Amino acid sequence: MRSIQMVDLKSQYEAIKIEVDQAIQGVIDTTSFINGPKVKEFSDALASYTGAKYVVTCGNGTDALQIAMMGLDFQPGQEVIVPAFTYVATAEVIALLGLVPVFIDVIGSTFELDITQLESKITSKTAGIVPVHLYGQCSNMEAILSVAKKHNIKVIEDTAQAIGANYSFSDGTVKQAGTMGDVGTTSFFPSKNLGCYGDGGAMFTNDGKLAEKLRMIANHGQQKKYHHHIVGVNSRLDTLQAAILNVKLQHLDRYSASRNEVAARYDSAFTDHPHIRIPKRVVNSTHAFHQYTIQVEGVSRDELKSYLAEKGVPSMVYYPLPLHQQEAYLNLGYEKGDFPVAEALCEKVLSLPIHTEMKVEDQEYIIESINSFFK
């Protein structure tokens, strides 16, 4: 049997090899490696795809979060609310900028920020909220935006795992993940739903003035070369990556459909399983399925993970520790038990292989291996 991958980037590349190779060669032929025309072409194409008025590319998804906070003028000492159950980058940039991460628990069934706790976290120092569209579906953006408007605080969407997901508002309006807050951010890390062959990131906004500021910050704070108006950083999406992303963006809808087909087969296999809790879909968001994450109930998640590894089936724990228990953030004074849902999820979650080129027979073997563990 061939090796099963969490994400099969090689097979994905082979399916679009001619297009990608031509795009790469085109950049090499022009030698426009930094800020070449393909960068603007990709930015415009991504804006058209998402419905965002402006897309500003940058070096990676973490930079996108940092630049967004700089662009919104968050000041040292101010507070930013972030889920306790997410990847560290979301809190990392808050700390790097001298801001204070304020953690909030999540909903156990959907992994999204718990909006019932949101107002209790807001103080006179609160500058922003960062909802994370974890694993591929949107947080409750209608409620989050309502609270943010009431308290005059900014919203930065972390869309690194949910590009292409659609959110429906109660009035029937439909918007894509990343286009609803003041700024949306995403990552083009290779394993992402829209991934390049290195690092890359982008920001979305509908505010033209803010878009120009974000663009300046990402380019050393300059509009005109060697004239620096504000303090900035050096964070660029290089032209080779933009050319690759231009190709892959044309396949993103197919990629999303493929991931949903894989998810549906897992659902069918495990819906009534006594020890497996499948990921719940929220009613107002489609799911991009960056990850298919189950919760293992009543038995050891780690024993299941080890058993699968022996069977040649990879799996991943996203994430083994909530942010408030990470050593880097112990100084904030949170204790075990402060975020019980996030803490429980870290003991139970297990992400199964899911990708655009998944073979049915490989998935059947994965399902069979999981079932054999419980037998």
Side-chain angles (χ1 to χ4, degrees), residues 337-356:
D338 284 346
F339 304 99
V341 178
E343 291 169 25
L345 287 173
C346 289
E347 299 291 329
K348 297 191 291 185
V349 293
L350 189 68
S351 295
L352 305 179
I354 186 168
H355 54 80
T356 58

Side-chain angles (χ1 to χ4, degrees), residues 35 38-44 46 54-60 63-64 67 186 188 200-204 211 214-215 217-219 235-238 242 245:
N35 289 328
K38 287 295 178 182
V39 178
K40 185 177 188 308
E41 185 180 319
F42 171 64
S43 298
D44 291 346
L46 188 58
Y54 306 96
V55 170
V56 179
T57 57
C58 61
N60 55 68
D63 281 2
I67 294 164
T186 197
F188 303 125
M203 295 159 282
F204 310 97
L214 297 172
R215 198 171 285 112
I217 293 170
N219 188 28
S235 184
R236 294 182 291 231
L237 177 69
D238 74 59
L245 288 164

Side-chain angles (χ1 to χ4, degrees), residues 161-214:
Q161 298 186 11
I163 194 162
N166 290 314
Y167 182 88
S168 299
F169 288 84
S170 56
D171 65 0
T173 303
V174 178
K175 291 189 176 181
Q176 269 209 24
T179 68
M180 296 172 276
D182 295 278
V183 184
T185 67
T186 197
S187 164
F188 303 125
F189 189 79
S191 63
K192 294 293 193 286
N193 293 34
L194 180 61
C196 56
Y197 294 167
D199 268 321
M203 295 159 282
F204 310 97
T205 185
N206 295 314
D207 182 329
K209 194 171 180 181
L210 178 58
E212 185 55 36
K213 188 175 182 182
L214 297 172

Side-chain angles (χ1 to χ4, degrees), residues 145-164:
L145 291 170
S146 175
V147 171
K149 184 178 180 181
K150 176 181 174 182
H151 294 276
N152 193 31
I153 52 185
K154 302 297 185 183
V155 177
I156 301 173
E157 294 175 72
D158 186 335
T159 316
Q161 298 186 11
I163 194 162

Side-chain angles (χ1 to χ4, degrees), residues 23-273:
I24 291 171
Q25 190 61 54
V27 174
I28 293 171
D29 288 346
T30 62
T31 67
S32 299
F33 298 118
I34 302 294
N35 289 328
K38 287 295 178 182
V39 178
K40 185 177 188 308
E41 185 180 319
F42 171 64
S43 298
D44 291 346
L46 188 58
S48 178
Y49 179 85
T50 60
K53 287 185 180 178
Y54 306 96
V55 170
V56 179
T57 57
C58 61
N60 55 68
T62 306
D63 281 2
L65 286 164
Q66 179 176 330
I67 294 164
M69 291 180 195
M70 292 171 70
L72 292 170
D73 292 319
F74 289 3
Q75 297 299 311
Q78 288 185 316
E79 298 172 348
V80 182
I81 299 168
V82 61
F85 184 68
T86 184
Y87 183 57
V88 71
T90 319
E92 189 172 48
V93 296
I94 298 170
L96 280 170
L97 292 172
L99 301 157
V100 181
V102 174
F103 299 127
I104 186 170
D105 217 341
V106 296
I107 298 170
S109 57
T110 60
F111 313 108
E112 61 186 320
L113 176 153
D114 186 350
I115 54 101
T116 66
Q117 300 179 19
L118 188 52
E119 290 206 74
S120 70
K121 300 288 181 179
I122 295 172
T123 72
S124 60
K125 294 183 177 180
T126 306
I129 307 165
V130 185
V132 179
H133 304 323
L134 199 66
Y135 301 144
Q137 69 180 348
C138 296
S139 299
N140 189 341
M141 287 304 297
E142 187 161 9
I144 291 166
L145 291 170
S146 175
V147 171
K149 184 178 180 181
K150 176 181 174 182
H151 294 276
N152 193 31
I153 52 185
K154 302 297 185 183
V155 177
I156 301 173
E157 294 175 72
D158 186 335
T159 316
Q161 298 186 11
I163 194 162
N166 290 314
Y167 182 88
S168 299
F169 288 84
S170 56
D171 65 0
T173 303
V174 178
K175 291 189 176 181
Q176 269 209 24
T179 68
M180 296 172 276
D182 295 278
V183 184
T185 67
T186 197
S187 164
F188 303 125
F189 189 79
S191 63
K192 294 293 193 286
N193 293 34
L194 180 61
C196 56
Y197 294 167
D199 268 321
M203 295 159 282
F204 310 97
T205 185
N206 295 314
D207 182 329
K209 194 171 180 181
L210 178 58
E212 185 55 36
K213 188 175 182 182
L214 297 172
R215 198 171 285 112
M216 286 172 62
I217 293 170
N219 188 28
H220 296 291
Q222 63 186 352
Q223 276 181 317
K224 181 181 177 183
K225 198 169 180 69
Y226 303 127
H227 292 262
H228 307 275
H229 302 278
I230 55 178
V231 174
V233 298
N234 177 25
S235 184
R236 294 182 291 231
L237 177 69
D238 74 59
T239 313
L240 281 167
Q241 303 302 342
I244 292 162
L245 288 164
N246 255 328
V247 171
K248 294 186 75 175
L249 180 59
Q250 297 170 47
H251 297 273
L252 184 55
D253 286 343
R254 177 174 68 83
Y255 292 164
S256 295
S258 295
R259 287 175 175 273
N260 272 269
E261 288 170 9
V262 175
R265 290 195 291 268
Y266 280 137
D267 281 354
S268 179
F270 300 128
T271 293
D272 297 318
H273 199 288

